Amino acid sequence: MFVIYSFLTNTKYTMKKSILTLFIALFTIGFAVGQEMYWTEYITPKKGLEDVFHENLMSHIKKFHSEAPYQAHARYVMFGQHEMQYVWVSGPTTYAGMDNMSRPDSTAHSADWAMNVEPYIEKTCTNELWKFKKDMSYYPAEGGSDLKLQLIRFYSINPGKWEAFMGLMKNVANVCKTNNYKESWGLYVNSFDSGIGREVAAVNSFPNWAFLESDTWVADYEKIYGKDSWKAAMKTFGECIDKYQEEVRKVLVTK
């Protein structure tokens, strides 16, 4: 088990982005043909109608979004800027797939959303398209269905530090793979610059809150990269990060 707690304790950095950051983002997009991606959106249910919204949303997903190319899932934000909101997650898809993947073109689907879901929505916000970085991620070969909680860290990267940051992320994934963790680690890059410090999302999925008390990560990291390597990694990390925000989500499962 592992928790990368040191990522949570760094001082926030405030350096402004430059044109270089935008160039890197555009360069990355240009080489994302066929890459696995996920479209997310925050949804706020109307006050007093949260239970009805929850039940109807999960029913809608089960009826119309359980199979490709219209797969979708829902998450509930427990802590963070968007707490008490839901997250709609569509995918996996590609840029080309985005032309047809958002919803089934059927009267039944449209009617169900219009009658049973939309009336209970207060607002939606923060549409984002996330590119999955498979070589910097880790998912256990078996299991994973019990990973009901997610700790997500959204990062904004300082100009000129993209490669250094991604090198650290690759090391993190390697430690996870080497130790065959039961928990997962996923890295995602935002396709478009939102201007709110969410260029990269690191997703830690785990089964229960007790997982956050684990203290084996530093030892596991230094077994691979040597004594004091984590301290050096954290120094590099601090130089790479402009700002970040955190969010804890509960994975919602259709019955």
Side-chain angles (χ1 to χ4, degrees):
M1 297 178 70
F2 69 102
V3 178
I4 310 173
Y5 263 127
S6 297
F7 279 9
L8 307 181
T9 58
N10 281 274
T11 302
K12 294 184 178 180
Y13 294 79
T14 57
M15 181 181 295
K16 294 182 178 179
K17 297 178 184 176
S18 69
I19 295 176
L20 177 61
T21 303
L22 177 59
F23 173 79
I24 291 174
L26 292 174
F27 184 86
T28 304
I29 290 173
F31 286 86
V33 177
Q35 187 170 347
E36 182 177 322
M37 297 188 295
Y38 294 84
W39 169 34
T40 65
E41 179 181 32
Y42 289 96
I43 302 175
T44 304
K46 289 183 178 179
K47 186 171 295 187
L49 298 174
E50 293 89 349
D51 290 345
V52 178
F53 168 80
H54 178 99
E55 182 178 346
N56 289 1
L57 178 68
M58 300 310 293
S59 175
H60 178 86
I61 290 174
K62 184 177 182 178
K63 289 178 183 177
F64 301 103
H65 296 277
S66 59
E67 298 180 359
Y70 308 115
Q71 293 162 296
H73 309 276
R75 309 285 187 257
Y76 179 74
V77 182
M78 304 177 71
F79 297 97
Q81 180 181 351
H82 295 278
E83 64 182 49
M84 300 180 69
Q85 293 180 317
Y86 287 73
V87 184
W88 177 275
V89 183
S90 292
T93 187
T94 61
Y95 280 126
M98 284 293 294
D99 291 322
N100 300 303
M101 63 81 62
S102 61
R103 61 182 181 181
D105 184 16
S106 70
T107 301
H109 171 270
S110 298
D112 186 76
W113 183 268
M115 294 176 61
N116 299 319
V117 182
E118 190 170 5
Y120 304 101
I121 294 177
E122 180 67 32
K123 67 176 181 178
T124 61
C125 68
T126 317
N127 277 282
E128 293 170 312
L129 189 60
W130 295 97
K131 294 174 290 187
F132 177 56
K133 304 295 289 184
K134 185 175 181 180
D135 61 330
M136 300 178 191
S137 301
Y138 165 79
Y139 288 88
E142 297 182 0
S145 61
D146 63 334
L147 304 181
K148 306 300 185 185
L149 296 171
Q150 296 180 328
L151 173 58
I152 304 175
R153 304 176 184 94
F154 298 99
Y155 298 117
S156 175
I157 313 303
N158 278 322
K161 295 296 183 178
W162 187 265
E163 290 187 3
F165 177 81
M166 287 301 174
L168 288 176
M169 297 299 99
K170 186 170 287 189
N171 288 352
V172 169
N174 185 43
V175 174
C176 298
K177 295 171 185 176
T178 301
N179 288 277
N180 294 313
Y181 289 137
K182 296 180 180 179
E183 302 76 28
S184 68
W185 165 266
L187 197 73
Y188 301 81
V189 174
N190 205 331
S191 292
F192 307 102
D193 185 3
S194 61
I196 57 175
R198 292 162 67 103
E199 292 179 288
V200 178
V203 183
N204 234 155
S205 297
F206 48 96
N208 50 51
W209 289 102
F211 163 77
L212 296 179
E213 296 181 351
S214 172
D215 60 358
T216 65
W217 172 257
V218 174
D220 290 345
Y221 189 94
E222 294 192 348
K223 283 180 183 178
I224 298 175
Y225 296 105
K227 183 179 179 181
D228 295 328
S229 57
W230 182 246
K231 182 178 180 180
M234 290 312 305
K235 182 179 183 297
T236 301
F237 178 83
E239 295 168 350
C240 291
I241 297 304
D242 174 23
K243 55 186 175 180
Y244 68 88
Q245 54 183 273
E246 301 161 354
E247 186 169 289
V248 177
R249 298 176 183 174
K250 180 179 180 180
V251 176
L252 303 179
V253 181
T254 56
K255 298 179 181 180

